[in-house]
Amino acid sequence: KEEWEVIDTKSFNAACKQEGVLEKHKKHLSRFVAQELEEIKAERRKWKGAASFSSKLKCLVYLNWLLKFLEMRAIHKESEKLCEEMRMPQNVLKTILSRFFIASNRDQEEKVVYVKNSMLTDKLICYILVLALFYGDFEVDATTLIANMKIEPRRYSLLF
């Protein structure tokens, strides 16, 4: 899709190849993504087939964003500020908000607030699980991912 093309992987690429870069960026990373970058850096992560390194990094960047949005129940910030904080292009934010949140404007004077109900949360969790499977060529140790998503095992087993 269009949003996939604009994902910038420079910082993730640097985190895999240069000393100290990963540690510097860890505060912006989900636990799962930080662990996967460590695996890539240590050259323990290998993929089957002709999957390109760039597409795998894009997948990790997108996973990181989705995991961050999963933590949010509501978004009160303006989109420009949120894009800057999350280091995300505007069109990607727009897609994620339209897919996983409901725009709410209670008063015409107030700004729009984006909220997520349980159905949209489940949808987001499913997207994360599927993307993680694609990332890992359908071989993913989901322990860190599930812990990162903070979902109970019973709910996980229903969705996965």
Side-chain angles (χ1 to χ4, degrees):
K1 286 198 168 195
E2 177 180 310
E3 73 244 26
W4 192 255
E5 299 303 318
V6 297
I7 295 174
D8 183 11
T9 60
K10 288 178 193 142
S11 63
F12 277 39
N13 198 9
C16 294
K17 296 180 179 176
Q18 299 171 9
E19 286 302 316
V21 176
L22 182 56
E23 289 72 27
K24 180 181 166 187
H25 292 287
K26 270 194 176 175
K27 66 181 175 190
H28 299 289
L29 301 175
S30 67
R31 283 181 284 160
F32 176 77
V33 171
Q35 178 182 313
E36 288 301 316
L37 288 172
E38 288 283 355
E39 293 290 312
I40 293 168
K41 187 175 180 179
E43 298 182 2
R44 290 187 296 259
R45 174 51 103 175
K46 304 284 187 225
W47 295 283
K48 297 177 202 159
S52 77
F53 182 67
S54 175
S55 68
K56 293 299 183 176
L57 284 182
K58 283 184 180 192
C59 200
L60 276 181
V61 171
Y62 204 77
L63 265 170
N64 193 59
W65 289 331
L66 293 180
L67 287 164
K68 295 289 184 182
F69 278 106
L70 185 61
E71 296 171 2
M72 301 176 190
R73 299 278 307 142
I75 300 170
H76 300 276
K77 297 178 181 176
E78 293 180 16
S79 62
E80 292 81 18
K81 184 171 179 148
L82 190 58
C83 284
E84 185 179 315
E85 283 179 15
M86 299 200 52
R87 302 173 184 175
M88 167 187 292
Q90 186 75 31
N91 63 335
V92 175
L93 175 64
K94 191 184 227 181
T95 300
I96 290 173
L97 289 177
S98 68
R99 218 175 255 160
F100 305 112
F101 289 85
I102 300 167
S104 173
N105 189 354
R106 295 184 183 151
D107 186 357
Q108 297 297 341
E109 299 297 318
E110 285 187 39
K111 63 181 179 181
V112 175
V113 175
Y114 292 91
V115 294
K116 183 174 51 171
N117 61 24
S118 62
M119 183 182 76
L120 290 172
T121 299
D122 287 348
K123 180 180 176 181
L124 180 54
I125 290 169
C126 289
Y127 264 68
I128 290 169
L129 293 172
V130 169
L131 193 56
L133 286 170
F134 279 124
Y135 164 76
D137 290 331
F138 298 94
E139 293 180 12
V140 174
D141 177 10
T143 310
T144 307
L145 184 60
I146 293 168
N148 199 155
M149 291 191 293
K150 299 174 185 152
I151 57 174
E152 64 273 1
R154 195 179 94 223
R155 187 169 180 205
Y156 165 75
S157 64
L158 289 171
L159 296 171
F160 203 46

